[in-house]
Amino acid sequence: MSATLSPTPRTRLGRAKERGRTDRDDLYAVLDAGLICHLGVISDGFPMVVPTGYGRLGDTLYLHGSTGARSLRAAAGSPVCVTVTHLDGVVLARSIFHHSVNYRSAMVYGVARLVEDPEERLTGLRVLSEHLAPGQWDAVRKPTAKELAATAVLALSLEEASVKTRQGPPSDDEEDYALPVWAGVLPLRVAWGEPVPDPALPPGVPVPPHVRDR
Amino acid sequence: MSATLSPTPRTRLGRAKERGRTDRDDLYAVLDAGLICHLGVISDGFPMVVPTGYGRLGDTLYLHGSTGARSLRAAAGSPVCVTVTHLDGVVLARSIFHHSVNYRSAMVYGVARLVEDPEERLTGLRVLSEHLAPGQWDAVRKPTAKELAATAVLALSLEEASVKTRQGPPSDDEEDYALPVWAGVLPLRVAWGEPVPDPALPPGVPVPPHVRDR
């Protein structure tokens, strides 16, 4: 796979081309910085968009869920779209029309493959786990055979993907810059809070470094 | 419309029913607390999930975009799914299997209606604007006829919707509570940063209270 994102009819940006990114590293950066994606599937002829976890290994995205979940059943072997979005701020312009948001977003298109090989299933689950909660795979109880049987793992190639970002101040119409109104960006930040121990935790169990220092 | 969310085949929760919410107020709360949604459409037979702004007026959700946007064209008069998700934390359990996230999520299904009445179009745009940037509609230049002509406004009824949330500590298997591992929640918070003035702003234009105090 090349280091650039080759546009296909779906991923070629129709509008705001200057917001497109073509480096594979940009795609990885957007995906790796996210915690959940929005998985789009077609279920009974209707689009369905479900928030769910994911993980990346090279150019493969892994998704998982209960074998009973409608969205997972609709996704296996079918075309899907996975979108990861970071909202970085609200862009306040001098006109309503040029209001916008600063964001980084990745869209991945493809046919989701149901992973059946036991080794790849375990790899996928580990990748998913380490993405959401790095360090936990080795710290807690591993999945049992029964738990594994209840879990569907899907793989999606990153071959067909696009990245779009907007950053910086508003882009106003030339004549609007003279208007006596404030313009700029109201930034948004996602921050971790202090770990909240499970009330059922026995006294004296310390917060592990990989959680504390995240 | 009743004050409860009446389940349809699509919105009836197949799994984790205890995470379902049936009050219309819960739906409003999730929608009103969000800034962007993920709009799912079917485009050329494929699902497509696009992050975009929205606003709510009563039981109508408004969406908008360039008349040239592929996603908007695919949505007008067609079935769509709009999902709004708040990620509140990562749930660290005593087993990999019970790791989870705390979240609030709303899914709205329906056929998006292209708004053509000029008055409703303006109402929809104002609702969208006030949702993303409250106070700005009255503070900055309003849309021109040309800008309005370049903007598509879509309306989506909130009639068919579901709300799902998870909050609180992990739910571990009974026998795992004895394991000597830390368990709890690592909370996530979205916070506004300090307003960043547009470098092109003339000196002496103050940050307006509706921006400063957000």
Side-chain angles (χ1 to χ4, degrees):
Chain A
M1 187 163 291
S2 73
T4 58
L5 304 170
S6 309
T8 68
R10 272 203 294 271
T11 61
R12 186 170 293 119
L13 299 171
R15 298 174 45 250
K17 291 190 180 60
E18 75 284 1
R19 296 185 188 170
R21 291 283 170 273
T22 52
D23 281 346
R24 212 139 257 284
D25 286 344
D26 291 328
L27 174 64
Y28 298 157
V30 171
L31 294 175
D32 295 353
L35 285 168
I36 60 160
C37 66
H38 280 82
L39 164 67
V41 299
I42 301 176
S43 177
D44 295 330
F46 281 76
M48 183 178 185
V49 178
V50 182
T52 188
Y54 67 95
R56 180 180 76 84
L57 181 64
D59 282 312
T60 301
L61 213 62
Y62 286 103
L63 306 165
H64 76 323
S66 161
T67 51
R70 196 188 311 158
S71 53
L72 267 281
R73 286 201 311 266
S78 300
V80 302
C81 176
V82 169
T83 300
V84 173
T85 306
H86 306 277
L87 188 58
D88 296 323
V90 175
V91 180
L92 305 170
R94 293 156 182 89
S95 66
I96 291 297
F97 187 75
H98 285 295
H99 274 62
S100 187
V101 291
N102 282 340
Y103 67 98
R104 293 158 288 145
S105 182
M107 291 171 65
V108 184
Y109 293 94
V111 171
R113 170 173 61 88
L114 183 67
V115 180
E116 305 194 82
D117 174 69
E119 203 170 315
E120 191 188 357
R121 277 167 52 76
L122 215 55
T123 299
L125 291 175
R126 188 184 174 120
V127 164
L128 274 151
S129 175
E130 288 297 293
H131 185 92
L132 184 69
Q136 287 290 98
W137 187 271
D138 289 330
V140 308
R141 179 174 68 68
K142 307 283 181 301
T144 62
K146 194 181 162 190
E147 289 170 345
L148 286 172
T151 306
V153 180
L154 299 179
L156 180 64
S157 162
L158 294 182
E159 202 166 342
E160 192 177 354
S162 66
V163 177
K164 218 169 158 182
T165 70
R166 189 206 187 282
Q167 302 294 328
S171 301
D172 273 304
D173 287 348
E174 205 46 51
E175 59 270 29
D176 288 338
Y177 281 89
L179 292 175
V181 295
W182 190 87
V185 173
L186 198 50
L188 275 167
R189 242 195 342 265
V190 179
W192 294 108
E194 288 296 309
V196 178
D198 184 345
L201 205 66
V205 181
V207 180
H210 68 268
V211 175
R212 191 191 59 213
D213 302 336
R214 192 165 182 180
Chain B
M1 186 163 295
S2 74
T4 57
L5 304 171
S6 309
T8 67
R10 270 202 296 271
T11 61
R12 187 172 292 121
L13 300 171
R15 298 174 46 252
K17 290 191 180 58
E18 74 285 359
R19 296 186 187 169
R21 290 283 169 273
T22 51
D23 282 346
R24 211 138 257 285
D25 286 344
D26 291 329
L27 173 65
Y28 298 158
V30 171
L31 294 176
D32 294 353
L35 284 169
I36 60 159
C37 65
H38 281 82
L39 165 67
V41 299
I42 301 176
S43 176
D44 295 329
F46 281 76
M48 182 180 186
V49 178
V50 182
T52 187
Y54 67 96
R56 181 180 74 85
L57 182 64
D59 282 312
T60 301
L61 213 62
Y62 286 104
L63 306 165
H64 76 322
S66 160
T67 51
R70 196 188 310 156
S71 53
L72 267 280
R73 286 201 311 266
S78 299
V80 302
C81 176
V82 169
T83 300
V84 173
T85 307
H86 307 277
L87 188 59
D88 296 323
V90 175
V91 179
L92 305 171
R94 294 158 182 86
S95 66
I96 290 296
F97 187 73
H98 285 294
H99 274 61
S100 186
V101 292
N102 282 339
Y103 67 98
R104 292 158 288 144
S105 181
M107 290 171 65
V108 183
Y109 293 94
V111 171
R113 170 174 61 87
L114 183 66
V115 180
E116 305 195 82
D117 174 69
E119 203 170 315
E120 190 187 358
R121 277 169 51 79
L122 214 56
T123 299
L125 291 175
R126 186 182 176 122
V127 164
L128 274 150
S129 174
E130 288 296 294
H131 185 91
L132 184 70
Q136 286 291 95
W137 187 271
D138 289 328
V140 307
R141 179 174 68 68
K142 307 282 181 302
T144 62
K146 193 181 161 189
E147 289 170 346
L148 287 172
T151 307
V153 180
L154 298 178
L156 179 64
S157 163
L158 294 182
E159 202 165 344
E160 193 178 355
S162 66
V163 177
K164 218 168 158 183
T165 70
R166 191 207 185 281
Q167 302 295 326
S171 301
D172 272 304
D173 288 348
E174 204 46 51
E175 59 270 28
D176 289 337
Y177 280 89
L179 293 175
V181 295
W182 190 87
V185 173
L186 197 51
L188 274 168
R189 244 197 340 268
V190 179
W192 295 107
E194 288 297 307
V196 179
D198 184 345
L201 206 65
V205 182
V207 179
H210 68 269
V211 174
R212 191 191 59 215
D213 302 338
R214 190 164 183 183

